[in-house]
Amino acid sequence: MGPAQPSERNRRVTIQTIAVLGAGIMGRGIAYVSVLGGFRTILQDTSQEALDRATSEITALLEKGVATGKVAEDAAVTARKRLSTSRSLADAAREAGLVIEAVPETIDVKVELFATLDRAAPPAAILASNTSSLSITEMAAATKRPGQVVGMHFFNPVHRMKLVELVRGLETSDETLDITDRAAQAMGKETVIVKESPGFVTSRINVLIGNEAFTMLESGVASARDIDKALKLGLNHPMGPFELVDLVGLDTRLSILEYLHRTLGDKYRPSPLLIQYVKAGRLGRKVGRGVYEYPS
Ligand SMILES: NC(=O)c1ccc[n+]([C@@H]2O[C@H](COP(=O)([O-])OP(=O)(O)OC[C@H]3O[C@@H](n4cnc5c(N)ncnc54)[C@H](O)[C@@H]3O)[C@@H](O)[C@H]2O)c1
């Protein structure tokens, strides 16, 4: 018998602990599927308020899962026990086999985070980014383990959306992809593998639709409600583009568009109306108003 094939070796690697960095919209969703997937999960954020809010939302989601029969009661109790929080990156990363970052969509912030993380996480740990568009290779270059850096692009809301785009940076190894693929599957997700390119597959298409919707709204083609209705009933989109951008966050969407505009060209130039909304602080559901109002 020859040496074990890579796939045989890979099957022996198991991840027990996942650190999720950033407890915003995405981080709390990833932590939720992670604890349900059987992983001890440490959710980290620099803001205690974000951690408190995330903890109560995850607890409420588990309770709702039990109430609607989607999650067994004992599974919810065990899952809740797997969750802990920390404001310290070093503490969160210390025992992690996989770290998934979900901090704001700014390359400088992410590059700095990966450099720090590289020193804090065990040498064997895989470092993943939930970026919607940015370069995994650039984050990997800030570490001494570029083969263990990968994109894990989850979708919002994480507990409902089936897909994780696995993004292969220039030096991401097959083993890293294999391990993260299995972690995503344990979290109940399906995966596709995408070679790194700005916006991957999904964001690259989705932001074009969303940006065009703002351009149409600005030029008075139809009201926001009618544009949403047209795409839902005429094109079978589950949500209208304005409902979706309110869920995603207008600031996050603008950051993605600005990056794709720089890297892929003029067709991604952000709509002036979207920029105005962000300047006005209308960032979406997370602040109670975006294109629509969400009275609390
Ligand atoms: N919102 C979406 O629909 C969506 C979908 C897929 C991917 N993403 C990506 O996920 C990432 C996070 O987006 P989000 O919408 O959850 O953002 P968010 O603004 O809701 O949350 C970001 C969180 O990160 C925290 N944070 C900031 N700097 C930090 C640091 N250095 N260390 C630890 N925590 C820090 C903030 O306090 C905040 O709680 C972005 O890269 C975004 O592109 C977002």
Side-chain angles (χ1 to χ4, degrees):
M1 261 188 14
Q5 293 303 305
S7 59
E8 289 170 35
R9 276 207 318 270
N10 291 346
R11 271 187 223 121
R12 293 189 202 120
V13 180
T14 44
I15 288 176
Q16 284 168 350
T17 303
I18 295 182
V20 180
L21 312 183
I25 298 176
M26 295 306 289
R28 62 191 67 163
I30 296 167
Y32 171 81
V33 293
S34 175
V35 289
L36 270 182
F39 302 104
R40 190 174 156 254
T41 304
I42 305 147
L43 183 57
Q44 185 267 351
D45 200 293
T46 43
S47 149
Q48 187 59 45
E49 193 194 333
L51 289 173
D52 293 344
R53 209 170 140 195
T55 306
S56 49
E57 279 185 20
I58 292 168
T59 307
L61 258 186
L62 286 169
E63 283 165 2
K64 197 170 160 202
V66 173
T68 53
K70 289 188 184 125
V71 182
E73 193 162 358
D74 53 346
V77 172
T78 316
R80 181 64 189 80
K81 285 188 190 146
R82 291 191 191 111
L83 179 70
S84 58
T85 60
S86 174
R87 287 181 64 191
S88 153
L89 182 140
D91 287 350
R94 188 169 294 127
E95 289 177 14
L98 170 62
V99 183
I100 306 173
E101 73 76 16
V103 305
E105 187 76 345
T106 309
I107 192 65
D108 295 348
V109 174
K110 293 199 192 269
V111 164
E112 196 185 322
L113 186 75
F114 270 77
T116 313
L117 197 49
D118 193 36
R119 295 188 289 273
I126 290 173
L127 311 182
S129 171
N130 181 49
T131 177
S132 313
S133 61
L134 301 172
S135 169
I136 300 301
T137 304
E138 201 170 339
M139 296 174 218
T143 75
K144 294 190 173 68
R145 59 179 99 186
Q148 292 160 238
V149 178
V150 65
M152 285 184 91
H153 183 204
F154 290 80
F155 294 82
N156 184 8
V158 180
H159 66 283
R160 288 226 202 104
M161 301 299 284
K162 287 302 278 179
L163 187 68
V164 174
E165 269 181 313
L166 294 177
V167 184
R168 183 197 278 276
L170 184 68
E171 295 179 73
T172 308
S173 73
D174 288 345
E175 186 181 34
T176 297
L177 278 170
D178 187 58
I179 295 168
T180 43
D181 190 9
R182 277 180 289 128
Q185 286 180 38
M187 295 179 200
K189 304 302 175 197
E190 303 237 2
T191 57
V192 291
I193 294 178
V194 181
K195 192 179 83 168
E196 174 180 315
S197 58
F200 320 131
V201 171
T202 50
S203 300
R204 187 161 162 174
I205 290 180
N206 188 42
V207 299
L208 271 184
I209 296 172
N211 205 37
E212 195 59 26
F214 272 104
T215 304
M216 288 197 294
L217 182 63
E218 189 169 21
S219 56
V221 172
S223 68
R225 293 226 178 266
D226 279 353
I227 292 171
D228 274 352
K229 188 173 174 184
L231 265 77
K232 285 191 287 185
L233 302 188
L235 300 182
N236 229 3
H237 288 204
M239 295 178 81
F242 297 120
E243 291 167 341
L244 184 57
V245 77
D246 274 359
L247 189 69
V248 165
L250 278 71
D251 50 342
T252 299
R253 172 64 60 78
L254 180 59
S255 301
I256 299 168
L257 269 166
E258 286 170 341
Y259 178 64
L260 296 192
H261 183 219
R262 281 199 304 278
T263 50
L264 296 178
D266 212 49
K267 67 182 167 186
Y268 288 92
R269 179 186 295 280
S271 135
L273 185 60
L274 169 62
I275 296 171
Q276 259 184 324
Y277 269 82
V278 172
K279 283 192 176 141
R282 301 184 69 126
L283 304 184
R285 277 180 181 270
K286 61 185 170 186
V287 297
R289 59 187 206 137
V291 179
Y292 300 116
E293 306 270 339
Y294 304 90
S296 51

